[in-house]
Amino acid sequence: MIESIWINGEFVDSTSDEVIEVINPATEEIVHSVPAGTVEDTCRAIEAANAAFPSWRSVPGVEKAELLHEVATKLRAKAEKLAVTLTLEEGKPLIENRDEMGWSAACFDYYAEIGRHSRGRVIPSIEASQLSLVLKEPYGVVACIVPWNYPILLMSWKVAPALAAGNTVIIKPSSITPLSTLRFAEIFDHLPPGVVNIITGAGDVVGDELVTSPDTHLVAFTGSTVVGQRIAALAAPLVKKVHLELGGKDPFVVCEDADLGVAVPGVAWAALLNTRQVCTSTERVYVQRSIFDEFTTRMVEYVKSLRVGPGIEPTTDVGPMARAPYRAKVEAQVEDAVARGARVLAGGRRPPQLPRGFYYEPTVLVGVKPAMDIMREETFGPVIPIAPYDTFDEAIELANSTTYGLGANLYTHNALYVKRFYEEVKAGTIWINDPLTDNDAGPFGGMKLSGMGRELGEEGIEEFRETKHIHWDFSMEKKVWWYPYEEYNKESGYIEE
Ligand code: NAD
Protein backbone atom coordinates (compact mmCIF):
# COMPACT_ATOMS: atom_id res chain seq x y z
CA MET A 1 0.00 0.00 0.00
CA ILE A 2 1.26 3.48 -0.84
CA GLU A 3 0.46 6.28 1.57
CA SER A 4 -0.26 9.72 0.16
CA ILE A 5 1.27 13.03 1.10
CA TRP A 6 -0.69 15.41 3.32
CA ILE A 7 -1.33 18.88 1.93
CA ASN A 8 -3.90 21.48 2.94
CA GLY A 9 -5.59 19.17 5.43
CA GLU A 10 -6.07 16.17 3.15
CA PHE A 11 -4.21 13.19 1.78
CA VAL A 12 -3.39 13.78 -1.89
CA ASP A 13 -1.54 11.79 -4.51
CA SER A 14 1.95 12.78 -5.52
CA THR A 15 2.48 13.99 -9.09
CA SER A 16 4.91 11.10 -9.51
CA ASP A 17 4.42 7.32 -9.27
CA GLU A 18 7.86 6.83 -7.80
CA VAL A 19 7.97 5.45 -4.30
CA ILE A 20 10.34 5.13 -1.38
CA GLU A 21 10.42 1.68 0.20
CA VAL A 22 10.27 1.49 3.96
CA ILE A 23 12.38 -1.33 5.37
CA ASN A 24 12.12 -3.08 8.72
CA PRO A 25 15.71 -3.00 10.05
CA ALA A 26 15.05 -6.06 12.23
CA THR A 27 14.20 -8.28 9.25
CA GLU A 28 15.36 -6.34 6.16
CA GLU A 29 11.83 -6.81 4.73
CA ILE A 30 9.95 -4.05 2.91
CA VAL A 31 7.03 -3.15 5.13
CA HIS A 32 5.53 -0.31 3.16
CA SER A 33 6.18 2.35 0.55
CA VAL A 34 5.44 6.07 0.40
CA PRO A 35 5.50 8.61 -2.43
CA ALA A 36 8.84 10.02 -3.48
CA GLY A 37 7.53 13.60 -3.44
CA THR A 38 8.43 15.93 -6.31
CA VAL A 39 9.30 19.60 -6.62
CA GLU A 40 5.74 20.15 -7.85
CA ASP A 41 4.32 18.45 -4.72
CA THR A 42 6.58 20.60 -2.58
CA CYS A 43 5.39 23.78 -4.28
CA ARG A 44 1.79 22.73 -3.61
CA ALA A 45 2.59 22.32 0.09
CA ILE A 46 4.38 25.69 0.17
CA GLU A 47 1.36 27.36 -1.46
CA ALA A 48 -1.03 25.78 1.06
CA ALA A 49 1.13 26.82 4.01
CA ASN A 50 1.35 30.41 2.74
CA ALA A 51 -2.41 30.58 2.17
CA ALA A 52 -3.06 29.36 5.73
CA PHE A 53 -0.56 31.71 7.36
CA PRO A 54 -2.50 35.04 7.61
CA SER A 55 -5.44 33.53 9.45
CA TRP A 56 -3.33 31.19 11.62
CA ARG A 57 -1.10 34.02 12.84
CA SER A 58 -4.18 35.93 14.01
CA VAL A 59 -5.79 33.04 15.92
CA PRO A 60 -5.79 34.29 19.54
CA GLY A 61 -3.11 32.72 21.75
CA VAL A 62 -5.68 31.09 24.02
CA GLU A 63 -7.28 29.30 21.07
CA LYS A 64 -3.91 28.23 19.66
CA ALA A 65 -3.10 26.81 23.08
CA GLU A 66 -6.30 24.74 23.10
CA LEU A 67 -5.56 23.39 19.62
CA LEU A 68 -2.00 22.44 20.60
CA HIS A 69 -3.18 20.76 23.81
CA GLU A 70 -5.56 18.79 21.61
CA VAL A 71 -2.58 17.58 19.53
CA ALA A 72 -1.03 16.27 22.77
CA THR A 73 -4.26 14.55 23.83
CA LYS A 74 -4.73 12.88 20.44
CA LEU A 75 -1.11 11.78 20.38
CA ARG A 76 -1.44 10.13 23.80
CA ALA A 77 -4.52 8.27 22.55
CA LYS A 78 -2.67 6.97 19.48
CA ALA A 79 0.74 6.53 21.12
CA GLU A 80 0.83 2.74 21.09
CA LYS A 81 -0.07 2.43 17.40
CA LEU A 82 2.51 5.06 16.43
CA ALA A 83 5.19 3.50 18.62
CA VAL A 84 4.70 0.13 16.90
CA THR A 85 4.89 1.80 13.45
CA LEU A 86 8.08 3.56 14.44
CA THR A 87 9.67 0.35 15.74
CA LEU A 88 8.89 -1.35 12.43
CA GLU A 89 10.54 1.37 10.34
CA GLU A 90 13.38 2.55 12.62
CA GLY A 91 14.13 -0.46 14.82
CA LYS A 92 14.21 1.06 18.33
CA PRO A 93 12.83 -1.09 21.14
CA LEU A 94 9.11 -0.47 21.59
CA ILE A 95 9.62 0.77 25.13
CA GLU A 96 11.85 3.58 23.83
CA ASN A 97 9.28 4.55 21.19
CA ARG A 98 6.54 4.67 23.83
CA ASP A 99 8.76 7.15 25.67
CA GLU A 100 9.24 9.11 22.46
CA MET A 101 5.47 9.51 22.07
CA GLY A 102 5.07 10.60 25.70
CA TRP A 103 7.88 13.18 25.43
CA SER A 104 6.42 14.48 22.15
CA ALA A 105 2.96 14.97 23.69
CA ALA A 106 4.55 16.79 26.64
CA CYS A 107 6.32 19.11 24.18
CA PHE A 108 3.00 20.13 22.57
CA ASP A 109 1.51 20.77 26.02
CA TYR A 110 4.57 22.83 26.99
CA TYR A 111 4.50 25.10 23.92
CA ALA A 112 0.72 25.48 24.12
CA GLU A 113 1.34 27.27 27.41
CA ILE A 114 4.59 29.06 26.51
CA GLY A 115 2.96 30.35 23.33
CA ARG A 116 -0.02 31.89 25.06
CA HIS A 117 2.07 33.50 27.80
CA SER A 118 5.05 35.03 26.06
CA ARG A 119 4.69 38.31 24.22
CA GLY A 120 6.77 41.34 23.24
CA ARG A 121 7.48 44.16 25.64
CA VAL A 122 7.27 47.92 26.16
CA ILE A 123 10.64 49.60 26.50
CA PRO A 124 11.49 53.08 27.86
CA SER A 125 10.80 55.72 25.22
CA ILE A 126 12.95 58.76 24.53
CA GLU A 127 10.24 61.32 25.31
CA ALA A 128 7.05 61.24 27.41
CA SER A 129 4.85 61.56 24.33
CA GLN A 130 6.24 58.41 22.79
CA LEU A 131 5.82 54.69 23.08
CA SER A 132 8.42 52.11 22.19
CA LEU A 133 7.32 48.54 21.64
CA VAL A 134 9.16 45.34 20.91
CA LEU A 135 6.95 42.97 18.95
CA LYS A 136 7.54 39.30 18.26
CA GLU A 137 6.18 38.12 14.93
CA PRO A 138 6.06 34.74 13.21
CA TYR A 139 8.30 34.28 10.18
CA GLY A 140 5.63 32.79 7.93
CA VAL A 141 6.18 29.30 6.50
CA VAL A 142 8.69 27.10 8.32
CA ALA A 143 10.32 24.10 6.63
CA CYS A 144 10.87 21.42 9.27
CA ILE A 145 13.42 18.85 8.03
CA VAL A 146 13.71 15.90 10.37
CA PRO A 147 16.07 12.88 10.76
CA TRP A 148 15.09 9.27 11.39
CA ASN A 149 16.45 8.56 14.87
CA TYR A 150 13.71 10.37 16.86
CA PRO A 151 11.38 11.44 14.05
CA ILE A 152 8.31 12.20 16.15
CA LEU A 153 10.13 13.89 19.02
CA LEU A 154 12.36 16.06 16.84
CA MET A 155 9.42 16.97 14.62
CA SER A 156 7.52 18.01 17.78
CA TRP A 157 10.44 20.14 19.02
CA LYS A 158 10.06 22.19 15.81
CA VAL A 159 6.36 22.07 15.00
CA ALA A 160 5.01 22.81 18.50
CA PRO A 161 6.96 26.07 19.02
CA ALA A 162 6.63 27.08 15.35
CA LEU A 163 2.82 26.81 15.51
CA ALA A 164 2.63 28.39 18.96
CA ALA A 165 4.57 31.36 17.55
CA GLY A 166 2.03 31.70 14.71
CA ASN A 167 3.91 30.12 11.79
CA THR A 168 2.56 27.46 9.45
CA VAL A 169 4.77 24.45 8.69
CA ILE A 170 5.81 21.87 6.13
CA ILE A 171 7.30 18.71 7.60
CA LYS A 172 9.77 16.63 5.59
CA PRO A 173 10.52 13.36 7.39
CA SER A 174 13.55 11.21 6.66
CA SER A 175 13.01 8.63 3.93
CA ILE A 176 13.87 5.97 6.54
CA THR A 177 10.95 6.88 8.81
CA PRO A 178 8.19 8.48 6.73
CA LEU A 179 5.33 6.27 7.97
CA SER A 180 5.04 7.37 11.59
CA THR A 181 5.16 11.02 10.49
CA LEU A 182 2.51 10.56 7.77
CA ARG A 183 0.29 8.84 10.34
CA PHE A 184 0.66 11.93 12.50
CA ALA A 185 -1.60 13.69 9.98
CA GLU A 186 -4.64 12.34 11.79
CA ILE A 187 -3.34 13.97 14.98
CA PHE A 188 -3.11 17.35 13.23
CA ASP A 189 -6.43 17.06 11.40
CA HIS A 190 -8.36 19.39 13.74
CA LEU A 191 -6.06 22.31 12.77
CA PRO A 192 -7.14 24.63 9.94
CA PRO A 193 -6.15 23.23 6.51
CA GLY A 194 -2.64 24.16 5.40
CA VAL A 195 -1.34 24.99 8.87
CA VAL A 196 0.56 21.68 8.86
CA ASN A 197 1.62 19.86 5.69
CA ILE A 198 3.65 16.64 5.44
CA ILE A 199 5.61 15.72 2.37
CA THR A 200 7.79 12.66 1.93
CA GLY A 201 10.67 12.49 -0.53
CA ALA A 202 14.38 12.74 -1.10
CA GLY A 203 16.47 15.35 0.70
CA ASP A 204 17.93 16.71 -2.51
CA VAL A 205 14.50 17.05 -4.15
CA VAL A 206 11.89 17.98 -1.53
CA GLY A 207 14.49 19.22 0.96
CA ASP A 208 16.31 21.43 -1.53
CA GLU A 209 13.06 22.98 -2.77
CA LEU A 210 11.98 23.73 0.80
CA VAL A 211 15.32 25.41 1.49
CA THR A 212 15.69 27.38 -1.74
CA SER A 213 12.08 28.48 -2.32
CA PRO A 214 11.62 32.21 -1.70
CA ASP A 215 8.21 31.31 -0.26
CA THR A 216 9.51 29.50 2.81
CA HIS A 217 10.83 31.82 5.45
CA LEU A 218 12.81 29.75 7.93
CA VAL A 219 14.42 26.30 7.81
CA ALA A 220 14.49 24.27 11.02
CA PHE A 221 16.79 21.32 10.36
CA THR A 222 17.97 18.39 12.44
CA GLY A 223 20.41 15.95 10.89
CA SER A 224 24.03 15.38 10.01
CA THR A 225 26.61 18.15 10.02
CA VAL A 226 27.41 17.63 6.34
CA VAL A 227 23.78 18.09 5.24
CA GLY A 228 23.40 21.03 7.66
CA GLN A 229 26.37 22.74 6.01
CA ARG A 230 24.80 22.17 2.60
CA ILE A 231 21.48 23.63 3.75
CA ALA A 232 23.20 26.70 5.22
CA ALA A 233 25.00 27.25 1.89
CA LEU A 234 21.76 26.81 -0.12
CA ALA A 235 19.89 29.26 2.12
CA ALA A 236 22.67 31.89 2.12
CA PRO A 237 21.77 33.73 -1.14
CA LEU A 238 18.27 34.35 0.22
CA VAL A 239 19.66 35.28 3.66
CA LYS A 240 17.09 32.85 4.99
CA LYS A 241 17.39 31.95 8.64
CA VAL A 242 18.44 28.35 9.24
CA HIS A 243 18.26 26.65 12.58
CA LEU A 244 20.70 23.74 12.66
CA GLU A 245 20.74 20.81 15.11
CA LEU A 246 23.63 18.65 13.90
CA GLY A 247 25.88 15.73 14.78
CA GLY A 248 27.92 15.14 17.91
CA LYS A 249 30.78 13.20 19.47
CA ASP A 250 29.82 13.50 23.11
CA PRO A 251 32.38 12.71 25.82
CA PHE A 252 31.65 11.10 29.19
CA VAL A 253 34.19 11.75 31.96
CA VAL A 254 34.13 9.41 34.96
CA CYS A 255 36.07 10.52 38.06
CA GLU A 256 37.49 8.13 40.63
CA ASP A 257 34.91 9.08 43.29
CA ALA A 258 32.06 7.79 41.08
CA ASP A 259 29.97 4.90 42.40
CA LEU A 260 30.61 2.27 39.73
CA GLY A 261 27.28 0.60 40.50
CA VAL A 262 25.71 3.76 39.09
CA ALA A 263 28.39 4.86 36.61
CA VAL A 264 28.77 1.61 34.66
CA PRO A 265 25.07 1.16 33.75
CA GLY A 266 24.75 4.94 33.37
CA VAL A 267 27.53 5.17 30.80
CA ALA A 268 26.29 2.03 29.04
CA TRP A 269 22.80 3.49 28.81
CA ALA A 270 24.09 6.84 27.50
CA ALA A 271 26.16 4.95 24.93
CA LEU A 272 23.68 2.30 23.82
CA LEU A 273 20.23 3.88 23.98
CA ASN A 274 18.66 3.50 20.51
CA THR A 275 21.71 1.40 19.55
CA ARG A 276 23.77 4.55 20.07
CA GLN A 277 21.89 6.34 17.31
CA VAL A 278 21.14 9.38 19.46
CA CYS A 279 22.72 12.74 18.59
CA THR A 280 23.78 13.01 22.24
CA SER A 281 24.92 9.41 22.57
CA THR A 282 28.09 9.02 24.56
CA GLU A 283 30.70 8.41 21.87
CA ARG A 284 33.89 8.65 23.97
CA VAL A 285 34.45 7.58 27.58
CA TYR A 286 37.34 8.91 29.70
CA VAL A 287 37.88 7.14 33.01
CA GLN A 288 40.37 8.16 35.71
CA ARG A 289 43.29 5.74 35.60
CA SER A 290 42.92 4.60 39.24
CA ILE A 291 39.52 2.99 38.45
CA PHE A 292 40.08 2.26 34.77
CA ASP A 293 40.59 -1.53 35.03
CA GLU A 294 37.69 -2.08 37.38
CA PHE A 295 35.43 0.16 35.27
CA THR A 296 36.21 -1.63 32.01
CA THR A 297 35.87 -5.11 33.56
CA ARG A 298 32.45 -4.20 34.94
CA MET A 299 31.44 -2.51 31.67
CA VAL A 300 32.30 -5.63 29.67
CA GLU A 301 30.27 -7.77 32.07
CA TYR A 302 27.33 -5.36 31.87
CA VAL A 303 27.38 -4.99 28.09
CA LYS A 304 27.53 -8.76 27.61
CA SER A 305 24.35 -9.09 29.72
CA LEU A 306 22.33 -6.90 27.32
CA ARG A 307 19.93 -8.69 24.99
CA VAL A 308 20.19 -7.82 21.30
CA GLY A 309 17.13 -8.46 19.15
CA PRO A 310 14.13 -7.03 17.30
CA GLY A 311 12.77 -3.86 18.88
CA ILE A 312 9.26 -5.29 18.81
CA GLU A 313 10.22 -8.03 21.35
CA PRO A 314 9.65 -6.90 24.95
CA THR A 315 12.87 -8.64 26.05
CA THR A 316 15.12 -6.60 23.74
CA ASP A 317 17.55 -4.10 25.26
CA VAL A 318 19.45 -3.18 22.10
CA GLY A 319 17.74 -3.23 18.69
CA PRO A 320 19.19 -3.30 15.18
CA MET A 321 20.83 -0.31 13.54
CA ALA A 322 18.58 1.63 11.16
CA ARG A 323 20.23 0.70 7.86
CA ALA A 324 23.08 -1.38 6.43
CA PRO A 325 25.34 1.56 5.41
CA TYR A 326 25.29 2.90 8.99
CA ARG A 327 26.42 -0.50 10.27
CA ALA A 328 29.11 -0.62 7.61
CA LYS A 329 30.45 2.74 8.89
CA VAL A 330 30.67 1.33 12.43
CA GLU A 331 32.42 -1.80 11.19
CA ALA A 332 34.94 0.32 9.27
CA GLN A 333 35.70 2.51 12.30
CA VAL A 334 36.18 -0.50 14.60
CA GLU A 335 38.36 -2.23 12.02
CA ASP A 336 40.48 0.91 11.61
CA ALA A 337 40.86 1.31 15.39
CA VAL A 338 41.91 -2.34 15.81
CA ALA A 339 44.40 -2.04 12.95
CA ARG A 340 45.92 0.91 14.83
CA GLY A 341 46.22 -0.86 18.18
CA ALA A 342 42.79 -0.84 19.85
CA ARG A 343 41.49 -4.01 21.54
CA VAL A 344 37.91 -5.33 21.42
CA LEU A 345 36.83 -6.50 24.90
CA ALA A 346 33.21 -7.26 23.96
CA GLY A 347 31.22 -7.42 20.72
CA GLY A 348 32.97 -6.13 17.63
CA ARG A 349 30.89 -8.24 15.24
CA ARG A 350 27.42 -8.98 13.89
CA PRO A 351 25.56 -11.30 16.30
CA PRO A 352 25.79 -14.80 14.73
CA GLN A 353 22.34 -15.77 16.03
CA LEU A 354 20.72 -12.90 14.04
CA PRO A 355 21.76 -13.42 10.41
CA ARG A 356 19.09 -11.05 9.07
CA GLY A 357 18.58 -7.47 10.19
CA PHE A 358 21.14 -4.69 10.62
CA TYR A 359 22.46 -5.88 13.96
CA TYR A 360 25.83 -5.14 15.53
CA GLU A 361 26.82 -6.39 18.97
CA PRO A 362 27.33 -3.79 21.70
CA THR A 363 31.07 -3.33 21.67
CA VAL A 364 33.67 -2.25 24.22
CA LEU A 365 37.00 -0.97 22.89
CA VAL A 366 40.15 -0.02 24.82
CA GLY A 367 43.59 1.05 23.66
CA VAL A 368 41.95 3.83 21.66
CA LYS A 369 43.91 6.98 20.72
CA PRO A 370 42.65 10.55 20.08
CA ALA A 371 43.70 10.44 16.42
CA MET A 372 41.53 7.40 15.59
CA ASP A 373 38.29 8.07 13.67
CA ILE A 374 36.37 6.27 16.41
CA MET A 375 37.46 9.05 18.84
CA ARG A 376 36.98 11.97 16.43
CA GLU A 377 34.16 11.31 13.96
CA GLU A 378 30.53 10.56 14.80
CA THR A 379 30.10 6.76 14.89
CA PHE A 380 26.32 6.52 15.49
CA GLY A 381 26.43 2.83 16.36
CA PRO A 382 26.80 0.64 19.48
CA VAL A 383 30.48 1.04 20.36
CA ILE A 384 31.89 2.22 23.70
CA PRO A 385 35.54 3.30 23.33
CA ILE A 386 37.14 3.83 26.76
CA ALA A 387 40.41 5.69 27.43
CA PRO A 388 42.17 6.46 30.72
CA TYR A 389 43.17 9.92 31.97
CA ASP A 390 45.34 11.04 34.87
CA THR A 391 44.48 14.64 35.79
CA PHE A 392 41.23 16.57 35.51
CA ASP A 393 43.01 19.11 33.27
CA GLU A 394 43.68 16.26 30.87
CA ALA A 395 40.05 15.09 31.07
CA ILE A 396 38.81 18.55 30.09
CA GLU A 397 41.29 18.79 27.24
CA LEU A 398 40.18 15.40 25.93
CA ALA A 399 36.50 16.31 26.28
CA ASN A 400 37.11 19.39 24.12
CA SER A 401 39.29 17.58 21.60
CA THR A 402 36.78 17.20 18.73
CA THR A 403 35.16 19.62 16.33
CA TYR A 404 31.72 18.87 17.82
CA GLY A 405 30.05 20.43 20.86
CA LEU A 406 26.60 18.96 21.39
CA GLY A 407 26.58 17.46 24.90
CA ALA A 408 28.98 16.29 27.60
CA ASN A 409 28.56 14.09 30.67
CA LEU A 410 30.36 13.87 34.01
CA TYR A 411 30.18 11.51 36.98
CA THR A 412 31.56 13.04 40.18
CA HIS A 413 30.48 14.65 43.42
CA ASN A 414 33.54 16.89 43.48
CA ALA A 415 32.02 20.39 43.27
CA LEU A 416 35.25 21.96 42.01
CA TYR A 417 35.39 19.51 39.12
CA VAL A 418 31.71 20.02 38.34
CA LYS A 419 32.14 23.80 38.13
CA ARG A 420 35.26 23.54 35.99
CA PHE A 421 33.53 21.04 33.70
CA TYR A 422 30.48 23.16 32.98
CA GLU A 423 32.55 26.31 32.58
CA GLU A 424 35.34 24.88 30.42
CA VAL A 425 33.73 22.21 28.28
CA LYS A 426 32.32 23.64 25.06
CA ALA A 427 28.99 21.88 24.63
CA GLY A 428 25.35 22.97 24.46
CA THR A 429 24.21 20.63 27.26
CA ILE A 430 26.19 19.44 30.28
CA TRP A 431 24.83 16.54 32.30
CA ILE A 432 26.23 15.92 35.78
CA ASN A 433 25.46 12.48 37.27
CA ASP A 434 22.27 12.03 35.21
CA PRO A 435 23.09 11.33 31.56
CA LEU A 436 20.94 12.45 28.63
CA THR A 437 17.96 13.70 30.60
CA ASP A 438 16.01 16.32 28.63
CA ASN A 439 13.61 18.83 30.08
CA ASP A 440 11.08 20.68 27.91
CA ALA A 441 12.01 23.89 29.74
CA GLY A 442 15.75 23.38 29.20
CA PRO A 443 17.22 24.76 25.95
CA PHE A 444 18.91 22.16 23.77
CA GLY A 445 21.37 22.61 20.91
CA GLY A 446 24.95 22.48 19.78
CA MET A 447 28.13 24.51 19.78
CA LYS A 448 30.97 24.24 17.22
CA LEU A 449 30.03 21.90 14.32
CA SER A 450 27.04 20.57 16.30
CA GLY A 451 24.83 23.44 15.22
CA MET A 452 23.38 26.83 15.93
CA GLY A 453 20.16 27.88 17.56
CA ARG A 454 18.32 26.23 20.43
CA GLU A 455 15.27 24.01 20.71
CA LEU A 456 13.08 23.60 23.80
CA GLY A 457 12.67 26.12 26.60
CA GLU A 458 11.78 29.73 26.00
CA GLU A 459 14.73 29.95 23.61
CA GLY A 460 12.98 27.29 21.52
CA ILE A 461 10.01 29.52 20.70
CA GLU A 462 12.19 32.59 20.14
CA GLU A 463 13.81 30.79 17.19
CA PHE A 464 10.44 30.98 15.44
CA ARG A 465 9.77 34.68 16.09
CA GLU A 466 11.23 37.75 14.46
CA THR A 467 11.75 40.87 16.49
CA LYS A 468 10.32 44.20 15.40
CA HIS A 469 10.84 47.54 17.17
CA ILE A 470 8.00 50.10 16.99
CA HIS A 471 8.80 53.75 17.77
CA TRP A 472 5.56 55.76 18.11
CA ASP A 473 5.28 59.50 18.75
CA PHE A 474 1.75 60.73 19.46
CA SER A 475 2.52 64.40 20.28
CA MET A 476 2.29 65.48 16.61
CA GLU A 477 4.93 68.13 17.35
CA LYS A 478 7.59 69.05 14.82
CA LYS A 479 10.84 67.23 15.47
CA VAL A 480 14.31 67.77 14.01
CA TRP A 481 14.19 67.11 10.30
CA TRP A 482 16.32 69.20 7.98
CA TYR A 483 17.67 71.43 10.68
CA PRO A 484 19.54 74.47 9.37
CA TYR A 485 23.16 73.57 9.71
CA GLU A 486 24.29 76.80 11.30
CA GLU A 487 21.42 76.81 13.78
CA TYR A 488 22.29 73.31 14.80
CA ASN A 489 25.93 74.13 15.30
CA LYS A 490 25.07 77.18 17.36
CA GLU A 491 22.60 75.30 19.57
CA SER A 492 24.93 72.48 20.10
CA GLY A 493 27.75 74.83 21.02
CA TYR A 494 30.00 73.97 18.11
CA ILE A 495 29.95 77.63 16.92
CA GLU A 496 30.12 80.48 19.37
CA GLU A 497 27.67 83.35 18.70
P1 NAD B 1 20.69 13.46 7.39
O1 NAD B 1 21.45 14.73 7.49
O2 NAD B 1 21.14 12.45 6.42
O3 NAD B 1 19.16 13.74 7.06
C1 NAD B 1 18.35 14.59 7.85
C2 NAD B 1 17.17 15.09 7.04
O4 NAD B 1 17.68 15.93 6.00
C3 NAD B 1 16.39 13.98 6.32
O5 NAD B 1 15.01 14.30 6.31
C4 NAD B 1 16.96 14.03 4.90
O6 NAD B 1 16.08 13.52 3.93
C5 NAD B 1 17.16 15.53 4.74
N1 NAD B 1 18.12 15.91 3.71
C6 NAD B 1 19.14 15.19 3.20
N2 NAD B 1 19.78 15.90 2.25
C7 NAD B 1 19.15 17.10 2.14
C8 NAD B 1 19.34 18.28 1.36
N3 NAD B 1 20.31 18.35 0.46
N4 NAD B 1 18.51 19.32 1.55
C9 NAD B 1 17.54 19.28 2.48
N5 NAD B 1 17.30 18.18 3.25
C10 NAD B 1 18.10 17.11 3.10
O7 NAD B 1 20.66 12.85 8.89
P2 NAD B 1 20.04 11.47 9.38
O8 NAD B 1 20.91 10.36 8.92
O9 NAD B 1 18.59 11.43 9.07
O10 NAD B 1 20.18 11.64 10.96
C11 NAD B 1 21.32 11.33 11.69
C12 NAD B 1 22.12 12.57 11.98
O11 NAD B 1 21.31 13.54 12.65
C13 NAD B 1 23.29 12.32 12.92
O12 NAD B 1 24.40 13.04 12.46
C14 NAD B 1 22.79 12.88 14.24
O13 NAD B 1 23.80 13.26 15.14
C15 NAD B 1 21.97 14.04 13.80
N6 NAD B 1 21.02 14.41 14.81
C16 NAD B 1 21.19 15.60 15.47
C17 NAD B 1 20.31 15.95 16.49
C18 NAD B 1 20.46 17.24 17.25
O14 NAD B 1 19.51 17.64 17.90
N7 NAD B 1 21.60 17.89 17.20
C19 NAD B 1 19.25 15.10 16.81
C20 NAD B 1 19.11 13.91 16.10
C21 NAD B 1 19.99 13.58 15.09
Side-chain angles (χ1 to χ4, degrees), residues 474-487:
F474 35 84
S475 70
M476 296 302 281
E477 282 171 9
K478 182 172 180 278
K479 303 283 168 188
V480 178
W481 290 311
W482 288 278
Y483 209 54
Y485 186 66
E486 281 183 13
E487 215 175 295

Side-chain angles (χ1 to χ4, degrees), residues 145-149 154 157 172-175 201-204 207-208 211 221-225 227 230-231 234 245-248 278-279 326 378 380 406 444 450 455:
I145 304 178
V146 184
W148 50 265
N149 62 337
L154 300 174
W157 286 8
K172 197 212 88 60
S174 160
S175 297
D204 57 2
D208 276 12
V211 176
F221 171 80
T222 301
S224 59
T225 295
V227 173
R230 175 173 158 76
I231 285 175
L234 287 174
E245 296 286 347
L246 309 177
V278 185
C279 54
Y326 302 142
E378 193 176 48
F380 231 55
L406 194 53
F444 176 88
S450 291
E455 297 193 301

Side-chain angles (χ1 to χ4, degrees), residues 55-110:
S55 51
W56 177 250
R57 75 173 288 182
S58 47
V59 170
V62 176
E63 275 176 45
K64 277 202 196 82
E66 275 174 22
L67 292 166
L68 293 179
H69 280 310
E70 201 176 330
V71 171
T73 306
K74 286 163 81 177
L75 170 52
R76 288 190 180 100
K78 292 184 187 299
E80 187 63 18
K81 207 171 138 198
L82 273 171
V84 170
T85 302
L86 187 48
T87 290
L88 287 180
E89 63 182 349
E90 195 265 349
K92 289 211 249 6
L94 196 49
I95 187 173
E96 293 181 29
N97 283 331
R98 287 185 183 126
D99 280 348
E100 179 167 350
M101 300 310 149
W103 298 332
S104 305
C107 177
F108 276 96
D109 276 337
Y110 176 75

Side-chain angles (χ1 to χ4, degrees), residues 16 48 178 240 348 351 397 455:
S16 151
K240 189 180 293 184
E397 198 182 321
E455 297 193 301

